[in-house]
Amino acid sequence: MASSLTNIIQQWQAGDKQAENKLYQFAYLQLRKIAQQERERCARKHGDENKVLLDSVNSTTALIHDAYLKLAQFDLKEVRSQREFYLMAAKVMRQILVDNARFQLAKKRQNEEDGELQNQHHQAFEELFVVDQALDNFSVRYPRQSNAIKLKYLMGLKNNEIGQLLECSSSLVEKDLKFSRSWLQARMA
C-alpha cells in the first residue's frame, strides 16, 4: 500500500492543484523539522552562542527557505514516491550545506580574521568538502548504504522510517549505517 505522501505525489502528477499545495506544505514542514533538529544538534555540540548558530544563513527559517527554494527548482515530475521525494530533499539539504560552506570560506578569505580562528573555519569547510566528495564516491559504489546515510543525517529520519522507504529491515539499515560511517571515516583519515 502506497504511503499518503506517495498518494499526494501521484495526485499532484495527475494535475490536482490541491495535492500540489499539500506536497509543498509537507516539504516545508519536513524541512522545518530537519532544520530545527540540526540547530539543536549544533547547539548541543558547540553551545548556544556559537558562530554557526549566530550566522543568519543557518537560522531555522533561512535554512527552510533556502531548501524550499532549491526544492522548487527541481523537476518534481520525476518524483514518484515518498522515497524519491526524501532522497531529493536530502540532496537539496546537502547542496545547501556545501554551498554555504563555500560562501563562508570565500567570505573568510576576503576578511582578514584572527589567524587561528580563520584556520579553524578553513579546516572545517575543507572537511565538509572532503566529506561531500567521499559521499559522492560512496554513492557510486554503495547506493543503498548511501541512501541510508543521507536519509539518516540529512533528513533526520529514524532507522525504521529509513527501512520503510528503502524497503528493508531496521537491522539492515543499522548495518548499512555502521558500514557507511566506517567507510567514510576510513576515507577521511
Side-chain angles (χ1 to χ4, degrees):
M1 182 163 96
S3 73
S4 61
L5 179 58
T6 299
N7 288 335
I8 291 170
I9 291 169
Q10 291 168 349
Q11 291 168 0
W12 169 72
Q13 288 178 335
D16 183 341
K17 286 294 182 188
Q18 286 182 330
E20 181 179 15
N21 291 336
K22 288 179 186 176
L23 179 62
Y24 282 104
Q25 182 181 19
F26 175 85
Y28 188 85
L29 293 173
Q30 185 65 27
L31 293 171
R32 182 172 182 76
K33 175 182 155 191
I34 293 163
Q36 287 173 331
Q37 289 171 342
E38 180 59 22
R39 287 182 53 80
E40 288 169 8
R41 185 195 64 77
C42 191
R44 283 192 307 273
K45 185 174 182 181
H46 303 290
D48 288 332
E49 297 298 319
N50 72 74
K51 178 145 174 55
V52 175
L53 280 179
L54 297 176
D55 180 0
S56 63
V57 174
N58 287 308
S59 76
T60 301
T61 303
L63 183 56
I64 292 167
H65 290 171
D66 285 350
Y68 193 77
L69 289 173
K70 277 195 177 278
L71 190 62
Q73 294 173 1
F74 275 83
D75 184 8
L76 293 180
K77 291 179 178 88
E78 300 298 318
V79 176
R80 291 181 169 71
S81 69
Q82 182 176 359
R83 177 175 80 181
E84 291 174 1
F85 181 82
Y86 274 107
L87 291 172
M88 181 190 56
K91 182 177 182 178
V92 166
M93 295 299 281
R94 185 173 159 208
Q95 286 176 345
I96 290 169
L97 292 171
V98 170
D99 290 348
N100 185 40
R102 284 190 177 117
F103 173 77
Q104 294 296 329
L105 186 58
K107 196 164 89 173
K108 300 294 184 228
R109 287 182 182 150
Q110 289 175 354
N111 299 334
E112 291 299 315
E113 287 187 43
D114 177 315
E116 184 179 328
L117 183 60
Q118 187 175 10
N119 286 339
Q120 288 173 352
H121 287 302
H122 183 75
Q123 186 177 17
F125 295 138
E126 290 298 324
E127 286 175 10
L128 179 60
F129 297 135
V130 170
V131 169
D132 186 54
Q133 184 62 45
L135 192 54
D136 281 343
N137 294 334
F138 184 70
S139 297
V140 171
R141 294 183 69 188
Y142 305 102
R144 186 190 71 231
Q145 293 86 349
S146 172
N147 288 341
I149 203 160
K150 289 173 188 174
L151 291 169
K152 179 73 172 183
Y153 294 106
L154 294 173
M155 295 303 296
L157 298 180
K158 296 179 175 130
N159 290 1
N160 62 337
E161 295 170 320
I162 296 168
Q164 289 174 357
L165 290 174
L166 299 181
E167 299 174 346
C168 62
S169 68
S170 294
S171 62
L172 182 57
V173 169
E174 184 61 36
K175 289 175 188 173
D176 285 350
L177 292 172
K178 285 180 183 178
F179 172 74
S180 301
R181 287 188 294 261
S182 296
W183 192 93
L184 290 168
Q185 286 174 348
R187 298 312 178 271
M188 301 288 297

